[in-house]
Amino acid sequence: MSDFHEIRFPTDIARGARGGPERLTQIVALASGREVRNSRWAHSRRRYDAGLGIRSLDALAEVVAFFEERRGRLYGFRWRDGLDWKSCPPSQGPTATDLAIGTGDGLTASFQLCKHYGTGLATYRRPIRKPVPGEVMVAVDGTAVDPAHVTCDATNGLVTFAAGHAPAPGAVVTAGFLFDVPVRFDIDAIEIDLSAFEAGEIPRIPVVEILF
């Protein structure tokens, strides 16, 4: 995407930020007192406040420079969510069998990376569009695939098998990976009062996920 920069927001600053997923649910109260609820979004959207991770003037200057280079809200960028950036639990390392991303049919050669949330009937499958380059492992029916036979596009999360290596019918394709969240700044102006900052007041710098 021409309006997206494949660069990550400073990880040490993002680590101190606050935020998480949000959804948009429409609730209608009926005359009987019952509710009718409807989800307006197919996918959740994450929001963060980058300002909470700024602890020094140097860090503040670094964020301002990053903001200027992105031209405010104009260009998207990568964000490391300190809680949710692996295909596995935070305390573990990814493996090629972490998550199912598709089932082979003998012809399909491309599969979208995704992450699963929950284990019941309402399991949510979140498309992963910004895997970390070089940090994607793939397996078919539990057997790791030779990296020479499969690639992953780090700009869109699409896993593609080489010609002649499409998974056989019924074969389960799994993957393990590290990933970033595609985001943009949600403001076009950063207001900084240095006297207030030195007194402990943190500037608000909202960041919002970009949904593809």
Side-chain angles (χ1 to χ4, degrees):
M1 296 177 61
S2 59
D3 60 352
F4 191 92
H5 292 170
E6 295 291 341
I7 185 172
R8 184 182 297 137
F9 185 87
T11 305
D12 56 336
I13 299 175
R15 191 177 295 117
R18 178 184 299 169
E22 69 169 351
R23 287 186 172 273
L24 181 61
T25 304
Q26 182 182 50
I27 301 177
V28 178
L30 304 180
S32 64
R34 292 180 59 246
E35 292 182 346
V36 175
R37 295 179 296 277
N38 180 52
S39 178
R40 301 293 300 274
W41 294 348
H43 297 289
S44 56
R45 189 178 200 181
R46 282 147 180 80
R47 289 184 179 275
Y48 309 94
D49 187 346
L52 295 171
I54 299 174
R55 295 290 182 268
S56 69
L57 286 177
D58 285 350
L60 179 57
E62 185 176 6
V63 170
V64 169
F66 192 92
F67 176 87
E68 290 282 37
E69 192 172 9
R70 306 287 85 73
R71 307 298 193 271
R73 294 185 294 178
L74 184 59
Y75 294 104
F77 53 93
R78 289 173 175 259
W79 175 275
R80 171 61 54 83
D81 186 322
L83 174 66
D84 194 0
W85 58 287
K86 300 180 180 181
S87 57
C88 57
S91 62
Q92 301 177 17
T95 69
T97 58
D98 281 348
L99 298 168
I101 61 172
T103 302
D105 59 11
L107 297 175
T108 301
S110 295
F111 300 84
Q112 178 66 53
L113 285 182
C114 62
K115 184 171 181 179
H116 308 173
Y117 296 81
T119 58
L121 296 177
T123 298
Y124 170 55
R125 288 171 59 95
R126 173 191 178 189
I128 300 299
R129 308 292 187 184
K130 296 296 178 182
V132 177
E135 298 291 346
V136 178
M137 298 166 283
V138 180
V140 174
D141 280 344
T143 301
V145 178
D146 187 331
H149 298 156
V150 64
T151 60
C152 180
D153 190 332
T155 67
N156 59 25
L158 200 63
V159 171
T160 302
F161 288 82
H165 293 277
V172 177
V173 182
T174 58
F177 46 86
L178 304 181
F179 66 96
D180 295 317
V181 183
V183 301
R184 61 168 172 79
F185 288 108
D186 202 24
I187 52 174
D188 272 327
I190 297 179
E191 296 185 4
I192 301 170
D193 181 340
L194 286 182
S195 60
F197 178 79
E198 292 172 350
E201 183 177 323
I202 306 299
R204 181 174 176 272
I205 306 177
V207 173
V208 62
E209 182 176 5
I210 299 170
L211 299 180
F212 293 90

